[in-house]
Amino acid sequence: MSDAPGADSTWFVVPLFDEGVVIGDVIRALRERYPLVVCVDDGSSDASAQIAAEAGAVVVRHPYNMGQGAALKTGIDYALRDPRMRQVVTFDADGQHQVDDASAMITLREETGVDVVLGSRFLDGRTRPGLLKRIVLRGAVWYTNLTTGVKLTDAHNGLRVLGRHACEVITVEQNRMAHASELVQEIGHHRLSVREHPVHILYTDYSRSKGQSLLNSVNIVIDMLFR
């Protein structure tokens, strides 16, 4: 068993949709330190699920594309079946999240006993989103802080550590991008204790080639206007 903090009690939940190019490397890097990884294949049309399984992840499949929120819910429900699970880490499949950041966030949660640790791109200077992305994210922070009562510096960061109690009480009903705001709303509703931790989101040529940075910005705006 790895000597990484929480290695025997932390499940990584990885929503997966058409990431066959990178998912094998992402899972292998994760499992060098954290062996408990569940990928929720959200109706991929490529070999993502097979590649993830071959890299050592547990794979749970959706029959069709239901959205990232639904995939997170499925993965969290799977992890809750393990009585040894103390926390879940939500982790992207596209290589933008760093295992070192996740490990530091697990350490922070275990040392402080908070219910939730959320990653923030804006607590240090390592992450450099484009101008549009930066403007939208700042707007999302303002809106989320205003409507949830939870004061954050980054409201739509997918790297999170959720303690078992948080996993048990948080309800995720929004299937697509609105789940990010819903999670923060649930943290405030249940008065869960929360800390932020600086993280480096790596905007790679691969993620940019898929248009994810700009697309997510647009989705965040739609989320804020219509949720």
Side-chain angles (χ1 to χ4, degrees):
M1 178 65 70
S2 167
D3 60 358
D8 61 346
S9 58
T10 303
W11 275 92
F12 277 70
V13 173
V14 183
L16 181 58
F17 180 69
D18 287 351
E19 301 286 2
V21 173
V22 296
I23 190 59
D25 290 339
V26 170
I27 298 303
R28 281 186 289 272
L30 261 181
R31 296 194 71 252
E32 286 179 1
R33 295 158 69 179
Y34 290 96
L36 305 177
V37 179
V38 55
C39 285
V40 181
D41 183 64
D42 194 32
S44 292
S45 61
D46 65 1
S48 291
Q50 178 182 343
I51 294 167
E54 290 173 352
V58 174
V59 175
V60 179
R61 295 176 185 255
H62 284 169
Y64 55 89
N65 181 247
M66 299 171 65
Q68 191 175 66
L72 288 176
K73 183 179 187 303
T74 296
I76 290 169
D77 287 347
Y78 181 90
L80 280 168
R81 295 167 54 187
D82 181 355
R84 301 170 301 166
M85 184 272 281
R86 294 205 306 263
Q87 61 237 333
V88 157
V89 179
T90 64
F91 200 87
D92 284 357
D94 59 6
Q96 293 191 114
H97 290 165
Q98 313 302 308
V99 183
D100 284 344
D101 287 336
S103 183
M105 291 167 67
I106 292 166
T107 297
L108 176 61
R109 201 197 81 78
E110 293 197 332
E111 289 180 347
T112 62
V114 295
D115 295 307
V116 178
V117 178
L118 301 176
S120 173
R121 286 162 277 205
F122 301 116
L123 291 176
D124 62 22
R126 290 179 295 165
T127 303
R128 299 184 180 276
L131 178 61
L132 174 60
K133 182 83 168 179
R134 189 162 61 249
I135 291 171
V136 171
L137 289 171
R138 292 296 193 186
V141 167
W142 174 84
Y143 180 83
T144 302
N145 289 351
L146 182 68
T147 57
T148 67
V150 181
K151 304 303 180 186
L152 302 174
T153 64
D154 190 349
H156 283 74
N157 194 312
L159 185 54
R160 318 172 184 90
V161 181
L162 309 174
R164 187 178 189 95
H165 173 63
C167 291
E168 291 171 339
V169 301
I170 286 176
T171 300
V172 179
E173 295 181 345
Q174 299 292 332
N175 286 346
R176 297 190 182 274
M177 287 301 293
H179 77 274
S181 297
E182 185 181 28
L183 276 167
V184 179
Q185 189 172 32
E186 285 285 292
I187 290 169
H189 175 71
H190 293 288
R191 300 184 182 276
L192 299 174
S193 55
V194 60
R195 292 275 297 272
E196 287 187 293
H197 191 279
V199 299
H200 179 205
I201 304 302
L202 185 62
Y203 297 115
T204 63
D205 291 341
Y206 169 76
S207 66
R208 288 192 178 97
S209 73
K210 296 182 71 178
Q212 288 184 4
S213 182
L214 179 59
L215 179 60
N216 285 347
S217 298
V218 173
N219 286 337
I220 288 168
V221 172
I222 294 172
D223 170 17
M224 289 191 295
L225 291 176
F226 298 106
R227 60 184 280 260

